[in-house]
Amino acid sequence: MSAPIRKPVDPAAAPIPAEAPRAPTEAEWAAMSPAQRQQAIAALVDSMSQEEIDERLAMADGDPHFDAKVEARDALRAWFGRRGRRVYVGADMKAHYPGEKGFTPDVIAVTDVDPTPRLCWMVSAEGKGIDLAIEVHYAGNWRKDFVDNVVRYATLGIREYFIYDIPRGHLKAHRLPPTGVRRYESIPSRAGRYRSEVLDLDLAVEAGRLRFYADTAELVTASELVGKLEGMIEAAEARIEQEQARAEQAVGQLSAAILMVLNARGVPASEEARGRILRETDGGRPGTLAPARGDRGGGGGAVPGVDRPLTEAGPGAPGSA
């Protein structure tokens, strides 16, 4: 990648700080009044240091990166929302740990908290840190995702850390050991899937996308669900059209069979009756069948005095004299 773009400096404006600010320590937070705490949060949200500008520019990896993290966030939010489970899921949500500079994972999940929208994740205000982080790597800083964050997130106590490597179609999974040591261990793969104890779900990369599974059921986003429902409707409509076509074909075959039976038994039918029958035949036309015995002149008309409704028995018909 090219070197980070520096924000143009306005000579009349205050100089941009080089480093990002740090969140208040636990002791500083405890000594603050509610109003002071709100001011501290607002200052962190509005902060614009050169370090933070560079971080945001480094995160601009285009559609593949953006789509992957938004799909993951939406799938998880929909899943936990339908089950009424209190899990906050955010994307590009800046996290502030006591005494630390803020950082912005691509996706975060925090269990047993109010899932309502937030401006940032302030650990001191929330009362707990992040339980799971997902980074989507596409064309950014490989070392940040695969080396630096592995150490940083473990040190902060983030229980699970997943890295979705888009170019390689690969998933790297980490979890803190139950011993309390803040050093990640690799989560083993089971048939290409990685278990998240935090989410109680399996993660996998399939068909070039990060997917989540509850047992064998795949989690889908709202847009994917709408697409599947539309596909089901289209398939049902196609089946209805096919059934209608088959029914019309069966009626046509039956109509032709009736005329053939009448013709074979020498039962004349009037032009009107033949027309009624043939109109039920797809593409049928009067005169396509051989004339009945007793027809004269090859005109297809019935013999005078013999023509009668189709419900009456004609010569040669069963039960006729």
Side-chain angles (χ1 to χ4, degrees):
M1 290 182 63
S2 58
I5 300 174
R6 298 286 171 172
K7 185 176 180 180
V9 177
D10 182 356
I16 298 175
E19 292 191 14
R22 293 179 181 271
T25 63
E26 292 181 357
E28 291 170 341
W29 183 263
M32 289 181 178
S33 66
Q36 290 173 326
R37 291 177 177 181
Q38 291 301 318
Q39 292 173 357
I41 294 174
L44 291 172
V45 170
D46 294 337
S47 174
M48 185 62 71
S49 66
Q50 188 61 56
E51 186 176 3
E52 291 166 301
I53 294 172
D54 293 344
E55 179 189 19
R56 292 171 188 172
L57 290 172
M59 293 173 61
D61 273 351
D63 287 338
H65 179 263
F66 178 81
D67 292 345
K69 60 187 176 184
V70 171
E71 285 182 0
R73 180 200 65 182
D74 292 349
L76 292 174
R77 280 185 176 178
W79 172 257
F80 293 123
R82 288 193 297 268
R83 276 147 189 79
R85 186 177 168 191
R86 287 166 49 83
V87 178
Y88 174 77
V89 182
D92 287 345
M93 177 62 60
K94 195 151 196 175
H96 298 281
Y97 277 68
E100 300 287 338
K101 294 180 180 180
F103 60 98
T104 311
D106 288 326
V107 180
I108 65 170
V110 188
T111 61
D112 301 320
V113 295
D114 185 353
T116 53
R118 292 163 167 79
L119 293 176
C120 67
W121 190 265
M122 187 74 174
V123 174
S124 296
E126 301 287 353
K128 68 175 303 185
I130 296 169
D131 290 313
L132 173 143
I134 300 175
E135 294 287 3
V136 178
H137 178 78
Y138 181 60
N141 187 334
W142 183 91
R143 181 177 177 83
K144 178 184 76 70
D145 291 335
F146 288 89
V147 179
D148 298 343
N149 284 347
V150 172
V151 175
R152 183 180 193 181
Y153 291 177
T155 302
L156 292 174
I158 298 176
R159 185 178 173 190
E160 292 179 344
Y161 174 39
F162 292 82
I163 311 168
Y164 171 32
D165 190 340
I166 294 179
R168 295 173 178 81
H170 178 70
L171 194 62
K172 187 72 173 176
H174 306 273
R175 181 184 297 130
L176 290 176
T179 59
V181 175
R182 293 198 172 185
R183 184 181 300 110
Y184 281 132
E185 295 177 348
S186 294
I187 300 175
S189 169
R190 299 183 302 178
R193 297 185 180 182
Y194 299 84
R195 184 67 179 171
S196 168
E197 294 178 353
V198 171
L199 303 176
D200 194 22
L201 296 170
D202 291 334
L203 284 71
V205 176
E206 294 186 359
R209 299 173 69 185
L210 177 60
R211 312 304 293 176
F212 300 88
Y213 290 87
D215 294 327
T216 59
E218 180 181 347
L219 275 61
V220 296
T221 63
S223 60
E224 288 176 324
L225 182 58
V226 170
K228 289 188 176 183
L229 292 175
E230 289 176 344
M232 293 171 62
I233 293 173
E234 292 174 357
E237 290 175 343
R239 286 195 297 269
I240 292 172
E241 292 177 357
Q242 292 172 358
E243 292 296 332
Q244 289 177 337
R246 281 194 288 267
E248 292 171 359
Q249 182 181 17
V251 170
Q253 293 172 345
L254 178 60
S255 301
I258 291 172
L259 289 177
M260 291 178 65
V261 170
L262 293 176
N263 183 61
R265 293 182 177 274
V267 179
S270 67
E271 286 294 338
E272 180 183 356
R274 291 167 63 88
R276 286 203 310 270
I277 295 173
L278 289 170
R279 277 195 296 273
E280 299 298 331
T281 307
D282 187 15
R285 298 183 301 278
T288 57
L289 298 175
R293 291 197 304 272
D295 285 358
R296 298 292 184 268
V303 177
V306 181
D307 188 20
R308 66 197 66 181
L310 294 178
T311 55
E312 297 182 12
S320 62

